[in-house]
Amino acid sequence: MLKTEAWEIFSKIIESVGTIYVQNSLSYIEIYVYKIMFHIGLYSKGLYKIEEKIKKEKYQDIYLLAFGGLFSFLLKDYKKALKYFREIEKITNSSFVQYFLGKIYEELSEYDKAIEKYELTLTTPELKLKAYCNIIKILYKLEKYEEAINLIDFIIDSTEGENLKSLLNHKGLCLLKTGNIKDAKKSFEKALEISENDLSVKQNLATCLLMMKDYKKAVKLFKDVYEKNDVDITLLNNFTTALAGLGRYDEAIKLCEKGLRIDSQNSDLLINLGYCLYKKNMINKAMECFKQAEKINPEDYTLQNNIAYCLISLKRYKEALEILNRILQKKAKDDILLNKAYCLFKMGMYKEAAECYEKIDPERIDFNIKTIIGICYENMGDKEKAVEFYNKALTA
């Protein structure tokens, strides 16, 4: 919650009390001082003065509690903020108190309680849309994407302007998570029609296009965002992936190196850098990048496969085979089996190579692989089987 929204909700809480609770109220001067402290950011000092006054006077004025909760929240001391707002709840059970409690529970990752509090505010017109949007964000965090999409569809027709843009953006993110890339793209595009310069929506649409392998359009959008925000690691990583997709490896390498100066332990950037170096036939440097990334993510079998692939390119088949066998002990996958079979073939272990190829999905066996299998059988002395695979290769 931004400072401006926090102040808005604070003011509504005070307003909701009206003249009902005036016992031991602070003087106008004291209230004015706390307001000044809020506006100039003296949260710690303000909270200290409030706590001292509560200890000394032994009473809890609504202003003291509200300012104490507000300052605590802005200082990110959410447990203390919760304590203050629970006391306020005893004085007034207004929707604005419930909304602020929802925000506190959300920050404490107590999402069920946060949703419960937000739902109590849905009958208040000023809070209804804010509460729905916060519930949607929580559902997204909880990976309840379908529920979030359904809720967005329920309220979207009654929403306009910036709020509509925000809902469309969130819907796009949820659709991406469910694998519905085409509808996600439509949602982001509609959001951009409302606010064509929104960097967050642009970046999300670019990511969507990247997933669709529309690298040219993705690069254009990533570039627009990058010119205004060149330190976002996720942006840099996706931008380099799109550039690599267009074969613009030198540009991608420069961006990777820039990103790694910001975060030297970012495995995604190291993998992207390794990929680009590999495509430029700088195999040893590529392998160094993959090995560095492996130290960060030692259980990433795709990364280990990349290292094996580098070793294969360097004709270090035995070392590659050792890595591939370790991977296959944990996870069998066609990409790994293909690399293992190729290593065995290059090492002259034709029977083992042919057996390995037999474990692979037939849909993955193309012209080149069928030819290699034919060579394996020919070297094993099985001419009939060799001819069978050569013929299959010709019709592939």
Side-chain angles (χ1 to χ4, degrees), residues 156-168:
I156 202 165
D157 289 338
S158 59
T159 312
E160 57 185 21
E162 286 295 307
N163 291 322
L164 177 57
K165 179 204 72 177
S166 179
L167 287 177
L168 287 166

Side-chain angles (χ1 to χ4, degrees), residues 14 16 64 109 111 136 140 156 192 200 212 222 265 292 298 312 351:
I14 299 299
S16 70
L64 280 176
S109 300
Y111 296 125
I136 289 163
Y140 182 83
I156 202 165
L192 270 185
S200 176
M212 297 173 76
F222 280 134
Q265 297 300 301
Q292 192 175 339
I312 291 169
K351 181 182 177 182

Side-chain angles (χ1 to χ4, degrees), residues 299-309 312 317 319-345 352-353 355-361 364-365 369:
E299 300 302 317
D300 188 334
Y301 76 89
T302 303
L303 186 52
Q304 293 167 15
N305 189 43
N306 288 343
I307 296 171
Y309 206 80
I312 291 169
Y317 304 117
E319 293 172 69
L321 189 59
E322 288 174 0
I323 293 173
L324 295 167
N325 282 331
R326 283 202 301 271
I327 299 171
L328 288 168
Q329 287 175 2
K330 300 176 183 178
K331 191 176 185 80
K333 194 176 179 183
D334 284 350
D335 289 341
I336 315 298
L337 288 167
L338 281 168
N339 283 340
K340 178 180 178 178
Y342 184 74
C343 283
L344 292 167
F345 169 74
E352 292 85 351
E355 289 173 351
C356 196
Y357 280 123
E358 287 177 8
K359 298 175 184 177
I360 298 167
D361 181 356
R364 300 290 303 274
I365 307 298
I369 295 173

Side-chain angles (χ1 to χ4, degrees), residues 332-395:
K333 194 176 179 183
D334 284 350
D335 289 341
I336 315 298
L337 288 167
L338 281 168
N339 283 340
K340 178 180 178 178
Y342 184 74
C343 283
L344 292 167
F345 169 74
K346 296 300 288 185
M347 293 170 71
M349 301 170 71
Y350 302 115
K351 181 182 177 182
E352 292 85 351
E355 289 173 351
C356 196
Y357 280 123
E358 287 177 8
K359 298 175 184 177
I360 298 167
D361 181 356
E363 294 294 322
R364 300 290 303 274
I365 307 298
D366 60 12
F367 165 81
N368 290 324
I369 295 173
K370 286 173 183 177
T371 302
I372 290 173
I373 296 172
I375 295 170
C376 286
Y377 281 114
E378 186 176 352
N379 279 281
M380 290 160 61
D382 191 336
K383 304 295 183 183
E384 185 177 339
K385 201 78 172 174
V387 170
E388 177 189 335
F389 274 93
Y390 289 144
N391 286 333
K392 286 181 179 180
L394 292 172
T395 57

Side-chain angles (χ1 to χ4, degrees), residues 6-256:
W7 180 255
E8 177 189 337
I9 302 301
F10 166 88
S11 301
K12 291 293 183 180
I13 291 170
I14 299 299
E15 186 181 313
S16 70
V17 177
T19 58
I20 297 171
Y21 185 79
V22 295
Q23 182 183 4
N24 294 323
S25 57
L26 298 173
S27 68
Y28 287 117
I29 293 175
E30 288 177 304
I31 293 170
Y32 183 76
V33 169
Y34 287 128
K35 286 182 178 179
I36 293 295
M37 287 181 171
F38 166 81
H39 288 296
I40 64 176
L42 295 176
Y43 310 137
S44 295
K45 188 172 182 179
L47 184 59
Y48 173 78
K49 286 177 70 67
I50 286 166
E51 290 177 339
E52 286 298 304
K53 192 167 185 68
I54 289 173
K55 286 178 186 177
K56 183 179 179 182
E57 304 291 344
K58 301 297 181 184
Y59 66 80
Q60 294 189 340
D61 179 272
I62 182 65
Y63 272 105
L64 280 176
L65 293 171
F67 270 117
L70 178 64
F71 289 149
S72 298
F73 185 88
L74 293 171
L75 289 166
K76 298 185 179 181
D77 189 343
Y78 301 118
K79 289 185 178 180
K80 185 175 284 187
L82 181 61
K83 178 183 174 183
Y84 278 111
F85 275 95
R86 278 178 174 167
E87 289 298 320
I88 295 171
E89 194 177 20
K90 295 174 184 177
I91 301 168
T92 173
N93 198 28
S94 81
S95 295
F96 296 99
V97 175
Q98 300 305 319
Y99 183 86
F100 216 125
L101 282 167
K103 279 291 186 182
I104 294 168
Y105 281 124
E106 188 178 345
E107 293 293 348
L108 290 169
S109 300
E110 295 185 42
Y111 296 125
D112 289 341
K113 290 181 180 179
I115 290 175
E116 181 184 325
K117 292 298 181 182
Y118 288 138
E119 286 176 343
L120 292 173
T121 73
L122 295 175
T123 56
T124 304
E126 294 171 80
L127 295 174
K128 183 177 179 180
L129 186 58
K130 290 176 182 286
Y132 271 132
C133 288
N134 289 331
I135 292 170
I136 289 163
K137 290 175 186 177
I138 290 173
L139 291 172
Y140 182 83
K141 288 178 184 177
L142 295 174
E143 300 182 2
K144 295 181 178 181
Y145 307 120
E146 293 293 348
E147 287 184 48
I149 291 168
N150 290 336
L151 186 53
I152 291 169
D153 289 340
F154 176 70
I155 63 172
I156 202 165
D157 289 338
S158 59
T159 312
E160 57 185 21
E162 286 295 307
N163 291 322
L164 177 57
K165 179 204 72 177
S166 179
L167 287 177
L168 287 166
N169 190 41
H170 274 95
K171 184 175 181 178
L173 291 170
C174 291
L175 288 165
L176 273 184
K177 290 293 186 178
T178 61
N180 192 343
I181 302 174
K182 288 185 179 179
D183 284 346
K185 177 175 174 284
K186 290 177 185 176
S187 195
F188 292 134
E189 286 173 339
K190 286 179 182 178
L192 270 185
E193 287 174 10
I194 298 168
S195 181
E196 62 181 16
N197 295 316
D198 189 294
L199 297 182
S200 176
V201 179
K202 272 190 178 183
Q203 187 170 339
N204 290 335
L205 177 56
T207 302
C208 194
L209 292 165
L210 176 62
M211 294 172 73
M212 297 173 76
K213 297 187 178 180
D214 191 343
Y215 301 122
K216 189 173 181 179
K217 289 181 181 178
V219 164
K220 185 178 183 302
L221 285 171
F222 280 134
K223 186 179 179 182
D224 287 347
V225 181
Y226 175 74
E227 286 174 352
K228 297 174 179 64
N229 179 14
D230 62 353
V231 294
D232 184 320
I233 293 296
T234 301
L235 169 64
L236 284 167
N237 186 56
N238 287 336
F239 193 4
T240 58
T241 303
L243 286 168
L246 291 175
R248 292 161 62 175
Y249 302 119
D250 289 332
E251 293 172 72
I253 287 170
K254 286 180 182 178
L255 282 181
C256 284

